[in-house]
Amino acid sequence: MDKNLALNAKQQGIVTIAAFTATGDLERLKPALHEGLDAGLTVNEIKEILVQLYAYTGFPRSLNALNAFMGVMEERGRKGIRDKAGEEARPFPATKSSMELGTEIQTRLAGKPVTGAIYTFAPAIDRFLKGHLFGDIFGRDNLDFQNRELATISALANMKGVDPQLQAHFAIGFNTGLTEAQMRGLITVFTVRVGEKEAENANDLLGKALSSRAKERSLK
């Protein structure tokens, strides 16, 4: 782990774990899981990352990553390594439905209510995004929004054909409080650990997200 980056060691671990989960690169994921645990990520934090990523990478990638993680835990157990379990997610507020909670979280992270022609065209995807992704998943409180966005951005950055979503999640990442230095730290991890081509693409999209953010601020 690079101690000079704005990302701490745990966050750097999230970047590589998410990136290799997204492509199903289990040979590179396994050492990344070891490194993440060694850096202080808890077992439940890593489980939460791998579960969340099914919404972006599909059930097969998520399930394969979870199986790989089980193998890593068994290997560490045989060596006498006892990793910290970490917190379980607490129950959702009884006064809110997943749709209500998810709409609040989505609006907070996007910085405004999310609307658009695609949601009118396919209302089901709007319900699933609000109720399931942002309610059922992002509403779980054992991983904070910043680290959830680091995982999402890292997964998208290592996938092809999702540039609009990656740029959007850079913007959402800023809304969670992630800094430009941390975003650039993520890209540095990609350059060194994941792939230079993917890092260059992410850097271009980060630049576009920063330009859009500056333009929006100038209009206020």
Side-chain angles (χ1 to χ4, degrees):
M1 300 293 180
D2 190 334
K3 295 181 180 179
N4 297 316
L5 294 183
L7 296 180
N8 62 39
K10 290 174 61 174
Q11 291 170 325
Q12 292 177 54
I14 290 172
V15 172
T16 53
I17 288 169
F20 298 138
T21 295
T23 54
D25 190 343
L26 302 184
E27 291 306 308
R28 298 172 79 186
L29 175 61
K30 290 174 185 177
L33 291 166
H34 280 289
E35 291 171 5
L37 289 166
D38 292 340
L41 284 170
T42 68
V43 174
N44 284 333
E45 284 173 332
I46 292 178
K47 284 182 186 177
E48 194 69 22
I49 291 163
L50 301 182
V51 169
Q52 174 186 312
L53 288 181
Y54 102 79
Y56 298 95
T57 69
F59 271 118
R61 299 287 196 217
S62 179
L63 291 168
N64 289 344
L66 285 164
N67 272 319
F69 189 35
M70 288 172 59
V72 165
M73 293 302 301
E74 290 169 2
E75 180 184 338
R76 292 170 75 88
R78 288 194 296 271
K79 293 179 179 178
I81 301 171
R82 298 291 179 262
D83 295 294
K84 186 176 179 182
E87 298 292 329
E88 295 277 359
R90 290 178 294 183
F92 293 133
T95 56
K96 293 180 182 177
S97 67
S98 294
M99 189 70 175
E100 290 170 330
L101 178 62
T103 299
E104 288 180 9
I105 292 173
Q106 185 191 48
T107 301
R108 173 182 169 184
L109 295 184
K112 58 185 178 182
V114 176
T115 60
I118 192 170
Y119 304 119
T120 303
F121 178 68
I125 200 69
D126 190 38
R127 292 197 305 272
F128 294 156
L129 282 169
K130 287 181 169 66
H132 184 50
L133 176 59
F134 288 103
D136 293 334
I137 299 176
F138 272 65
R140 290 167 59 83
D141 65 356
N142 57 341
L143 194 67
D144 65 29
F145 291 148
Q146 289 189 8
N147 286 327
R148 287 189 183 278
E149 278 306 310
L150 280 177
T152 301
I153 291 167
S154 300
L156 293 173
N158 210 26
M159 298 167 65
K160 297 183 184 299
V162 294
D163 284 359
Q165 289 76 24
L166 176 54
Q167 184 175 333
H169 276 279
F170 272 128
I172 290 172
F174 286 127
N175 290 341
T176 70
L178 289 170
T179 66
E180 181 180 346
Q182 288 175 308
M183 298 294 196
R184 297 202 180 280
L186 182 156
I187 291 169
T188 297
V189 173
F190 257 70
T191 301
V192 176
R193 302 288 307 282
V194 181
E196 292 185 4
K197 182 178 179 181
E198 292 77 11
E200 289 173 3
N201 184 60
N203 189 57
D204 289 343
L205 294 169
L206 173 59
K208 292 178 180 179
L210 287 167
S211 295
S212 295
R213 187 174 177 82
K215 184 177 180 180
E216 288 174 3
R217 287 180 170 179
S218 70
L219 296 174
K220 291 182 179 179

